[in-house]
Amino acid sequence: MSLIKSISGIRGTIGGPTGDTLNPLDIVKFTTAYASFIAKGLGKENDAKPTIVVGRDARISGDMVRNVVCGTLMGCGFDVIDIGLATTPTTELAVTMTHADGGIIITASHNPRHWNALKLLNNQGEFLTDADGKEVLAIAEKEDFCYADVDHLGHYRQDNTLNSKHIENVLNLELVDVEAIQKAHFRVCVDSINSVGGIILPKLLDELGVGYEFLNGEPTGDFAHNPEPLEKNLTGIMDRMRSGEFHLGIVVDPDVDRLAFICEDGKMFGEEYTLVSVADYVLSHCPTPTSFLIPHTVSNLSSTRALRDVTEQHGGQYAAAAVGEVNVTTKMKEVGAVIGGEGNGGVIYPASHYGRDALVGIALFLSNLAHKGCKASELRATYPNYFIAKNRIDLTPTTDVDAILQRVKEMFSGRDDASVNDIDGVKIDFADRWVHLRKSNTEPIIRVYSEAHTMEEADALGKELMQVVYDMQ
């Protein structure tokens, strides 16, 4: 079964039987459920047609999915603003810039080319909350739909201005120092995985005065390699960087909300350290901390401890959130964070908007590099060095995951050498390492992430906890 329903939307492989894959009938079903949810929130007293923004990445199936989504929304009596090939953060910003009532992003993010998805936004251009997402799924299950008559069908229009408006938003950020970046005369190599990054990133780099060469820059949707921006998938650009022609390598995923850097010597800067480096720059420009004014940062429980370390070096305070972008943004709003995100290369900068945005991350990182006047590898060396090991425990249909996690929690609660966080699975923090166990939302597994000062230590810690779980079964 390749159809995954979650609070943030629906994703699946293209083609195949209904109910098991992402096909036209299921696209209609979930689009209608989302439209019903939005209409319910607006109330009957609002006579104006609700409006939804639709944007998509360059996946081969994108045209088909877009046509079904837009037609369904119009059939529900919604006006549609189609912004075409656009990044996830562009679509998020488009919702507020056009004063729309919501948005649908057609992208499966880092999944392979045969996947696609509908990601659902509220009227703030942010992902639906857990409660709202569950309501959409409940509406879809009931299938109690009623469509508009011929006199109340929605209207369709295209708007091709949003990429430029997104770039303008980035350039106008106070901490994006365009002049310093231009004076640095940077030259970068970019891998945009044959998706929408190849459309918008050249325009951003032109405005920043940065020279560039693109690998996989044509938005064909025929991904040249596994699109997740991990080191094992990036040998092409890493080899190109070793030519010595570039100051920095930049890698984005198909919808340009994740960001990874490669140093001038062809070595990974570290996906986990994208947020760390940008946070370092933002924190360095915050007012001097006082007892009344302390800058906060946020990342999820499975992200590197380096963010906490850098935050505390600047006199700030770090907070952890459950895994998931909406959980991170909720925590950021709660504590008033100046920067936040996820260790997968997702930078969330509230001065722009509450969504992961690679364009914002690129501009802030280049500003930091320009101000420090150093090489990317030298910048990386200034941050605490940690390694994260990622393991998994396969579950059987009879496994009581909640009971297992509760027993792990009890084993470590009350110990002087460990602290336990149970907001999302169980995370155990030690003085110099941590391990996090959580049930996957998409697979019958327990994810086991662990971090320490060497990969060997991190992997050993993860496997130690895995054995504890095996002994319980």
Side-chain angles (χ1 to χ4, degrees):
M1 183 171 179
S2 301
L3 188 66
I4 301 170
K5 309 165 192 175
S6 69
I7 61 170
S8 60
I10 173 176
R11 64 184 171 127
T13 55
I14 297 298
T18 59
D20 282 340
T21 60
L22 192 65
N23 57 79
L25 287 180
D26 283 313
I27 294 168
V28 170
K29 173 181 172 179
F30 285 94
T31 301
T32 304
Y34 169 70
S36 301
F37 167 79
I38 295 295
K40 179 182 176 182
L42 293 174
K44 293 182 180 179
E45 68 279 0
N46 190 335
D47 293 330
K49 280 189 174 67
T51 302
I52 300 296
V53 170
V54 177
R56 70 178 184 90
D57 69 16
R59 288 171 186 273
I60 295 169
S61 60
D63 261 338
M64 180 275 287
V65 178
R66 185 269 312 274
N67 289 336
V68 176
V69 166
C70 292
T72 301
L73 289 170
M74 293 166 66
C76 292
F78 279 57
D79 287 345
V80 175
I81 302 174
D82 180 2
I83 65 171
L85 291 169
T87 73
T88 283
T90 304
T91 310
E92 292 169 342
L93 282 166
V95 173
T96 55
M97 288 178 173
T98 62
H99 308 289
D101 300 294
I104 296 179
I105 309 166
I106 301 169
T107 175
S109 192
H110 62 273
N111 287 91
R113 64 197 287 274
H114 60 293
W115 285 77
N116 215 327
L118 311 180
K119 294 187 176 182
L120 311 177
L121 305 174
N122 62 21
N123 63 358
Q124 298 301 308
E126 299 169 15
F127 290 115
L128 301 185
T129 64
D130 179 79
D132 289 346
K134 287 177 179 175
E135 185 173 349
V136 172
L137 294 179
I139 294 171
E141 286 305 304
K142 290 181 181 178
E143 294 192 50
D144 185 17
F145 303 142
C146 183
Y147 293 94
D149 62 41
V150 70
D151 294 317
H152 295 88
L153 295 174
H155 299 93
Y156 172 90
R157 71 178 175 92
Q158 294 179 325
D159 188 338
N160 298 316
T161 67
L162 272 304
N163 280 344
S164 296
K165 291 177 180 177
H166 185 182
I167 291 171
E168 183 180 358
N169 173 276
V170 174
L171 298 177
N172 286 336
L173 293 171
E174 183 178 356
L175 294 187
V176 173
D177 194 335
V178 177
E179 183 178 355
I181 295 172
Q182 290 173 340
K183 288 182 178 179
H185 300 294
F186 290 123
R187 180 165 174 77
V188 301
C189 185
V190 184
D191 184 346
S192 58
I193 195 61
N194 290 332
S195 192
V196 291
I199 297 173
I200 195 168
L201 293 184
K203 298 175 182 177
L204 173 68
L205 295 172
D206 285 340
E207 292 289 341
L208 293 172
V210 174
Y212 53 82
E213 175 181 303
F214 269 71
L215 305 180
N216 310 313
E218 293 297 320
T220 62
D222 199 3
F223 305 146
H225 54 76
N226 185 308
E228 189 163 14
L230 303 176
E231 181 173 0
K232 63 182 180 180
N233 301 326
L234 304 178
T235 55
I237 187 171
M238 293 173 72
D239 287 344
R240 186 72 185 95
M241 287 296 298
R242 294 187 183 100
S243 69
E245 300 175 35
F246 307 98
H247 297 93
L248 184 69
I250 298 173
V251 182
V252 293
D253 66 341
D255 65 324
V256 198
D257 64 350
R258 288 176 60 175
L259 173 65
F261 296 115
I262 299 170
C263 297
E264 77 289 341
D265 57 4
K267 296 180 180 178
M268 292 291 294
F269 191 85
E271 191 184 27
E272 287 282 338
Y273 285 81
T274 297
L275 175 59
V276 174
S277 59
V278 172
D280 173 41
Y281 175 67
V282 171
L283 289 164
S284 71
H285 286 80
C286 288
T288 302
T290 67
S291 57
F292 302 102
L293 183 64
I294 300 175
H296 287 75
T297 64
V298 174
S299 65
N300 68 43
L301 287 172
S302 287
S303 298
T304 180
R305 183 180 284 183
L307 178 62
R308 185 202 68 178
D309 294 351
V310 167
T311 301
E312 292 177 351
Q313 288 170 10
H314 284 284
Q317 187 170 330
Y318 167 78
V323 174
E325 182 173 339
V326 67
N327 297 317
V328 174
T329 57
T330 298
K331 190 67 175 181
M332 289 177 68
K333 293 175 183 178
E334 177 187 322
V335 302
V338 296
I339 189 79
E342 299 178 292
N344 61 9
V347 174
I348 303 172
Y349 187 43
S352 175
H353 64 117
Y354 278 102
R356 297 183 305 187
D357 192 332
L359 277 74
V360 170
I362 290 168
L364 291 174
F365 186 91
L366 290 175
S367 297
N368 191 22
L369 208 59
H371 282 198
K372 286 188 166 67
C374 64
K375 296 178 179 179
S377 60
E378 294 169 340
L379 177 62
R380 175 63 180 82
T382 66
Y383 300 127
N385 213 25
Y386 292 105
F387 296 85
I388 292 182
K390 299 181 180 181
N391 290 291
R392 58 186 277 173
I393 299 171
D394 293 308
L395 304 176
T396 67
T398 60
T399 303
D400 188 339
V401 179
D402 293 335
I404 288 175
L405 294 178
Q406 179 62 29
R407 288 171 64 186
V408 171
K409 174 186 172 183
E410 292 170 354
M411 287 180 61
F412 289 90
S413 295
R415 283 179 43 167
D416 294 335
D417 65 337
S419 61
V420 177
N421 187 321
D422 63 353
I423 64 171
D424 184 10
V426 178
K427 182 176 182 180
I428 306 159
D429 266 298
F430 301 95
D432 59 348
R433 56 206 166 106
W434 58 259
V435 59
H436 183 204
L437 292 79
R438 62 182 293 270
K439 183 180 179 181
S440 169
N441 293 324
T442 58
E443 300 176 80
I445 64 172
I446 294 176
R447 299 191 188 280
V448 183
Y449 287 11
S450 50
E451 183 176 65
H453 286 292
T454 70
M455 182 58 77
E456 291 74 19
E457 291 172 336
D459 192 53
L461 176 61
K463 288 191 166 75
E464 178 184 339
L465 265 292
M466 291 169 67
Q467 189 58 53
V468 169
V469 173
Y470 291 140
D471 292 342
M472 291 179 180
Q473 293 178 305

